[in-house]
Structure formats: C-alpha cells, structure tokens
Amino acid sequence: MIALAAFRVAAYVRSHRVFQALLLALAMLAILHGSRAPRGAEASVFTDGAVLIIPILAWAARSLLDTEPDQQRELSAVQVGGWGREVAAGLAAALGTCAAFAALSMGAALLLGVSETPSPGVLAAGLALYGLAALTGTALGALTSRAVIRSPAVSIMVLLLGFLAMLMLSISPVHWLGVPLIAWMKAANSGHLLDQFPELAAISLVWCLIGLGAYVWLRRRVG
C-alpha cells in the first residue's frame, strides 16, 4: 500500500499535473505576501494563508487521484489486496501532496509574510491550521475526483461550490455545520485564536473526517 501511494505521487509528478497546482500556489502566495504584515498580525497571516490555500490543495488532491486511469486503479486494487487498501493508498498520496503544498505555504508565510518571529503558541496554532487545511483539501479533492464524479466539468464546479459553501456556512450562526474557515480568520483578527483554537480545531477535524468517510463510502458503492 505504501508502494502504491509512492507510485501515485510519482505518477502525479511525472504527468506534470503537479505544476498546475504549484503555479497557482506560487501566484497566490506572491499576492498574499507581497508586503509583510505589521507586528502582532502573525496569527492573521497564518490563518489567511491556510484558508486561501485550501481550494488549491483540493485541486491538487483531485488531480493526483485522477492521474491514474480507471483500469489501472482496478488493477491496483487487486495487487494490494482489495479496494480498501487501494482507497487508503490514494488518500495517503493525496494527503502527502496536500501537506507538501501546505508546508510551502506556511514557509512562505514565515519567510515573507511576518515582520517578526511569532510566539510558540501562535506558531503551533498556525502549524495545526495548515495541517487542517491539508485535511480539508484532501477531503474536498477526493469527493470531487473522477471515481466519484465522472464529468470533469461537474467535478470542477462542485469543488469550487464546495469551497464557497464552506465560506458561506462559516459566516453564518451555524458555522459548526462545516469547516469554520471564516471563524478561523475572525478569531485571528480579533486576537482570540489561541483561546478559540481547541473548539475550532475540533469542529474542523470532525468535518474533515466526515468528508473522508463519505469518500470511502462512495468508493465502496461505486467499486
């Protein structure tokens, strides 16, 4: 299963699809960190970057899972001992790719976005937020991959609408009905990120796991 995950990452890189997400990420980071934020805004820099990178991470996860032809995916399931391991290998490869892009985004925030070194608490919260962003992007990308949605046009629309739906829900009173992205940003801008982080992280993690569980269930139904 580990070998299959590595094979899928290698295929994603060799197919040059990785450059689609990489160029989008670099363009977004160049715009976002065109000037350094003032002192005391480190939490906002991390949070804004973690939120804005999510659709790019979802795009990367979707592209990675769609690189392998359907027949090859079926063959891979036979070789690794069943559809469950094949699905797990795909998710592991997608999550690893999203984590790499999230690490790039956080590195850019540290090198280009802040005026001083953040406190250990803010740094830890930022690292956790980028980890949650990687999970969110993986779940959204997997749910819009070809194995679930056959039409590429519909898949892209669902991906974008899914991200917009998360944003809309997170500004409503029922922000807990999705990953509370805007709530992350509001907490950081008001200086209460560390106080509200346990609640926001728990809600985000639950919805990420629900999304990944939904993907596994859908894959089981479609084979």
Side-chain angles (χ1 to χ4, degrees), residues 186-210:
K186 287 183 177 179
N189 290 330
S190 63
H192 299 300
L193 178 62
L194 297 182
D195 297 332
Q196 299 179 22
F197 181 78
E199 176 187 356
L200 295 175
I203 295 172
S204 303
L205 181 59
V206 167
W207 280 108
C208 287
L209 295 177
I210 289 174

Side-chain angles (χ1 to χ4, degrees), residues 46-58:
F46 290 148
T47 306
D48 293 350
V51 170
L52 294 176
I53 198 71
I54 287 176
I56 299 175
L57 300 181

Side-chain angles (χ1 to χ4, degrees), residues 91-113:
L91 289 177
L95 180 58
T97 301
C98 287
F101 279 111
L104 172 66
S105 182
M106 185 168 184
L110 284 170
L111 293 174
L112 305 173

Side-chain angles (χ1 to χ4, degrees), residues 151-200:
S151 170
V154 174
S155 171
I156 294 172
M157 286 190 293
V158 172
L159 188 154
L160 295 175
L161 289 174
F163 178 67
L164 291 175
M166 281 191 285
L167 293 178
M168 295 299 294
L169 276 175
S170 61
I171 63 175
S172 70
V174 290
H175 64 271
W176 46 268
L177 286 178
V179 181
L181 302 179
I182 301 299
W184 294 2
M185 301 171 76
K186 287 183 177 179
N189 290 330
S190 63
H192 299 300
L193 178 62
L194 297 182
D195 297 332
Q196 299 179 22
F197 181 78
E199 176 187 356
L200 295 175

Side-chain angles (χ1 to χ4, degrees), residues 28-39:
M28 186 274 290
L29 293 173
I31 295 171
L32 182 62
H33 303 306
S35 60
R36 294 182 183 273
R39 293 182 179 180

